[in-house]
Amino acid sequence: MKTVFSGIQPTGKVHLGNFLGAIKNWVRLSNEKNKNYFCVVDLHSVTTHPNPKDLNSNIEQTLKLLVAAGINLNNSIIYPQSKVPQHAYLSWILSNFCQVGELQRMTQYKEKADSLGSHSGIFTYPVLMASDILIHKANEVPVGDDQTQHLELTRNIAERFNNNYGNVFPLPEKSSGKSGTRLMSLKHPEDKMSKSSDDINGTIYFDDSRDTIMKKFKSSVTDSSNVVKYDIDSKKGISNLIDIYASINDISHQEVERLFENSQYGEFKIAVGETVSDYLSPIYSDYQELEKEDLSQVLGNNLDQANDSAQETINEVNSILGL
Ligand code: TYM
C-alpha cells in the first residue's frame, strides 16, 4: 500500500490554484487504497510572521475546508503540523544531510527572501518540508509544479541519509493531475495565482460568490486573437483558462479547444466561470456546515494516528543514530 503525504500552508485563503494543483488530487488519492496524510503546515506559515488570531482561524478554516473538499476520512488523516512536533525534530536531524548550497539554489527561497527579508526560517524551510514528507515515509506527494524543486531536494536528503544509515526512507515521487498544476493569475497571466497576490481579481478564492467568480473571469486578461487555442508562449491568458476548464472537467487541452472551436472569448470566459463556480459552490456550502462544528468532532482521532506514525519513525531514526 502506498503512503501519500501532502501539505498546505494556512496563510491566507485557499484559492483555485490550491484546489486544482493539489487538493483535487488529494480527494482522488483518498478514494484509492492508500494511506494518506494531509497536513495543514502551520509551522511553515510562521515564516511570514502572521497575526496570531489570523493564523489560528486560518488553521481551523483550512482543516475544515479539506474535509469539505471531499477527502475520504476512512483512509486519510488530516491534522495540523504543529500538533505533531516530531516534524520539527526530524527537521533538525535531516538538516545534517542537506548542503547549504542546495538551499541557496531554491527558487522559492530567492523569491521569498526578497519579499519577506532573509531570515533563516525561509532558508531552512525546505528541510522542514522534507521532514513533513519523510516523517510518515511517504512514497507519493501530490503537489503543484511550484513544489518540484523542494521534492527533488527531499529525495536528495533521503538518499544521503540512507547512504549513511541503510534503507530507512523511501524516495518519494511527485504526483499531479494532467492539468492545473500551475494556475496563473487571471489578471497577470505571467505570474502564479497565489494567496498573496497584489491584485485580488486575479485569484479565485474558495468563498467567492458565483457573481464574483463570473466577474473575475469576464475581466480576465486574454489577447486579441479570439481563438480558443492553447499556446503557453504567446497566449498565456487563454491557455490558463483552457487549463482551468480541462482540470475541473478531467479532459485534455485539445478537447477543450474542440469544444470551443466556434466560440468567441466572451462565451468561453462565461463557460469557464460557470464550471469553476459549479466546482467550488458545493465545497463552500459543505464548509459552511462544518464551520459550526467542533474541530475535534470533525477530525476524531486523526491527530493521535498522525502522532503514532511520526513517533514510530522517530524511534527508528533515534535508534539508528545511537540517540
Ligand atoms: P502552498 O501552501 O503554497 O500550496 C499548497 C498546494 O497548492 C499548490 N499550488 C498551486 N498549484 C497550481 N497552481 C497554483 N497557482 C498553485 N499555488 C499553490 C502547491 O503546489 C501545493 O501543492 N511548501 C508547500 C507546503 C508544504 C508541503 C509540505 C507540500 C509544506 N510541507 C510537504 C507537500 C509536502 C507550500 O507552500 O504549498
Side-chain angles (χ1 to χ4, degrees):
M1 189 158 67
K2 255 185 335 200
T3 301
V4 173
F5 181 93
S6 201
I8 180 166
Q9 290 195 59
T11 315
K13 271 191 208 167
V14 176
H15 59 79
L16 189 64
N18 299 132
F19 277 105
L20 302 189
I23 300 168
K24 188 167 180 284
N25 292 314
W26 302 1
V27 174
R28 174 179 56 79
L29 287 160
S30 78
N31 286 312
E32 295 172 7
K33 287 211 177 323
N34 307 309
K35 180 88 183 163
N36 305 290
Y37 295 89
F38 300 119
C39 188
V40 171
V41 289
D42 47 5
L43 289 177
H44 285 269
S45 291
V46 177
T47 54
T48 63
H49 303 162
N51 168 305
K53 260 200 187 143
D54 291 346
L55 179 59
N56 200 260
S57 72
N58 279 339
I59 294 168
E60 179 159 341
Q61 181 180 82
T62 312
L63 288 163
K64 288 182 173 173
L65 196 53
L66 295 184
V67 178
I71 288 175
N72 182 347
L73 285 171
N74 289 331
N75 50 8
S76 308
I77 291 168
I78 297 178
Y79 69 100
Q81 180 192 31
S82 61
K83 296 287 185 287
V84 181
Q86 292 91 334
H87 284 247
Y89 182 99
L90 185 61
S91 180
W92 165 250
I93 305 276
L94 295 181
S95 67
N96 299 290
F97 300 85
C98 179
Q99 309 290 329
V100 170
E102 288 178 304
L103 294 174
Q104 282 167 332
R105 283 196 292 279
M106 293 292 118
T107 316
Q108 285 210 342
Y109 164 64
K110 292 185 209 158
E111 286 167 5
K112 287 186 178 168
D114 283 346
S115 60
L116 298 173
S118 57
H119 59 69
S120 58
I122 301 174
F123 187 58
T124 54
Y125 175 113
V127 186
L128 181 57
M129 180 160 162
S131 313
D132 300 335
I133 294 167
L134 299 175
I135 193 85
H136 302 296
K137 301 194 174 186
N139 318 94
E140 187 170 327
V141 188
V143 280
D145 273 357
D146 59 341
Q147 300 300 321
T148 306
Q149 206 186 17
H150 290 158
L151 202 61
E152 279 162 9
L153 178 68
T154 302
R155 291 168 61 87
N156 290 343
I157 292 174
E159 206 161 19
R160 231 169 264 140
F161 187 96
N162 288 351
N163 286 343
N164 278 272
Y165 294 104
N167 221 0
V168 177
F169 297 113
L171 302 185
E173 305 278 351
K174 173 177 181 277
S175 73
S176 49
K178 287 187 221 106
S179 46
T181 57
R182 191 177 187 85
L183 249 58
M184 309 310 275
S185 158
L186 302 184
K187 282 295 187 189
H188 305 281
E190 61 291 345
D191 299 331
K192 196 176 72 169
M193 184 181 285
S194 73
K195 290 168 187 155
S196 57
S197 170
D198 291 340
D199 191 343
I200 56 161
N201 290 318
T203 300
I204 303 287
Y205 297 102
F206 79 95
D207 59 351
D208 277 349
S209 68
R210 191 172 183 90
D211 229 32
T212 303
I213 293 175
M214 296 310 289
K215 274 193 197 125
K216 286 183 179 178
F217 276 101
K218 281 182 190 162
S219 68
S220 62
V221 169
T222 46
D223 57 87
S224 56
S225 76
N226 233 342
V227 181
V228 180
K229 183 125 194 75
Y230 192 87
D231 179 347
I232 199 69
D233 297 319
S234 62
K235 288 156 74 77
K236 283 194 165 48
I238 208 73
S239 300
N240 192 36
L241 300 190
I242 292 175
D243 206 28
I244 292 171
Y245 193 93
S247 173
I248 292 182
N249 294 295
D250 289 316
I251 59 177
S252 66
H253 294 155
Q254 290 81 353
E255 282 172 274
V256 181
E257 288 172 353
R258 240 175 280 130
L259 280 171
F260 294 96
E261 64 187 343
N262 298 318
S263 303
Q264 309 261 307
Y265 281 175
E267 204 182 318
F268 180 53
K269 284 179 177 181
I270 290 172
V272 183
E274 281 171 350
T275 220
V276 168
S277 176
D278 290 347
Y279 170 71
L280 288 179
S281 78
I283 296 176
Y284 184 46
S285 53
D286 283 0
Y287 167 78
Q288 284 175 307
E289 285 304 309
L290 287 169
E291 223 180 352
K292 300 169 205 149
E293 286 185 37
D294 192 55
L295 189 61
S296 57
Q297 293 284 310
V298 176
L299 295 179
N301 69 350
N302 276 218
L303 189 55
D304 292 341
Q305 292 187 63
N307 255 299
D308 289 349
S309 157
Q311 192 54 45
E312 221 175 278
T313 304
I314 294 300
N315 291 347
E316 183 184 353
V317 166
N318 279 348
S319 145
I320 284 170
L321 292 174
L323 290 167

